[in-house]
Amino acid sequence: MNVTIVGSQLGDEGKGGIVDLFGEDADVVVRYQGGDNAGHTVVHGDEEYKLRLVPSGVVRGTTGVLGNGCVVNLETLFEEIDRLCERGLRPDVRVSGRAHVVLPYHRVLDRAEEAAKNDEDLRVGTTGNGIGPAYEDKAGRRGIRVAELSRPELLRSRLEYVVPKKRRLAEEIYGVDTGDAFDVDALFETLRAFGDRLADEGMVVNAGSFLAERERESDAILFEGAQGAHIDVDHGNYPFVTSSNPTAGGAIVGTGVSPRMVSDGEIVGVVKAYHSRVGSGPMPTEMVDETASELREKVGGFGTVTGRARRIGWLDLPTLRYAVRVNGVTGIAINHVDALAGLDELRICEAYELDGERLIEPPSTTAAWEQCAPEYQTFDPWDDRDWTKVVVEGYDALPENARAYVEYVSDALDTPLYAVGVGPDRDETVVRRNPFEPAG
Ligand code: IMP
């Protein structure tokens, strides 16, 4: 059995904890898109691990793979691996030879382009990690792949082709200072050293055949999506998106496995019990009152990677319906139910109103989405309590109003509820069904 875990909103749904929880039954955890723009916090007892590239399951000894759909900043990757080693772990991480490398100039150009956008509305609010420029180079056939790092002549000729173009772009279009980030010799030396380490540690694989082989050996594979459906470059609120495909289809092209390996398995959509967004873009249920500040305060509402304040909104069913459909979600996990405790009243956006029409999914243009007015259902609140006790006692120990809230969402999406998160630790999740276990 294989399981794919995806974000159903805009990222930051708490996928890390769910991957960590269900990943206990996986033999391999694979990331299929994105790079170090992701931020997963995994909590184990008193230990907290903040991961950006290393697949979450690695913390518990599972093999982690970065598929060809990822863009890999090797400096971040090795830093993370080294930090995990210092904490006594032995991370087993493999990287697809087809994955593209995020280079220092990608980061410079990402930030320069954002800074050059003088109209606030055009600014995507990227994480500044060079993700967009790295995918641009991949699509433009001028990127550098992981496997090329161990072929010095090829690597040098690729750099000699691309770097002068990037330097001109930086200097002439964006007027930024270039330095080692745009120096062929410096880049060559750094990348060669990364290539040597990847080779020494036997980290480079053909991800598709590696995973097919593991499946033949009856290993359980977990495909870990980063970010969320609504910042998917194809299915999200373009242009306020990341440059990859966090949706479940990305797990196929981003690893090189057969579509069957994903579609025959379970696809778990992770949902945060409210809505939040780091960066620009439409958000019809955005709250601007003191409830938003209260919630932001409670949930530590700042992005894991960028530290920016999250925009906060009420749970938005149209976005979830869309995510369930696009991903083929077979079960949902609703996180952060504890965060809503103690509020005076709760709301869920049932549908939008746009030009006199009722919409149950977002419109396809971002401009129209910005104009949508939310139609709300109100829900009775619940109090804060000892959530650890709730987890021990199980689903029925959740406050009655919280159960009514999550069951309403599950019914509205016509999708079973697999888990309810009531705290950041993987042990603070009430599990109703483990997708790796056969349905009983
Ligand atoms: P980029 O992926 O750095 O290019 O950023 C593009 C958009 O995706 C921005 O709005 C970011 O805030 C958003 N984004 C990227 N990664 C994450 C994530 O892991 N969680 C939430 N938002 C993200």
Side-chain angles (χ1 to χ4, degrees), residues 16-25 41-45 47 59-60 335 391 419-431:
I18 299 294
V19 170
D20 188 33
L21 178 70
F22 294 140
E24 194 162 9
D25 291 313
T41 305
V42 178
V43 181
H44 269 207
E47 297 282 321
V59 168
R60 46 182 49 257
N335 274 330
V391 175
V420 180
V422 292
D425 196 303
R426 57 177 236 113
D427 298 328
E428 290 169 308
T429 307
V430 178
V431 179

Side-chain angles (χ1 to χ4, degrees), residues 10-12 37-39 124-128 131-132 227 231 241-242 278-279 308:
L10 295 151
D12 298 336
N37 49 347
V124 177
T126 73
T127 61
I131 306 300
Q227 290 91 37
I231 52 173
V241 292
T242 189
V278 185
R308 289 175 296 177

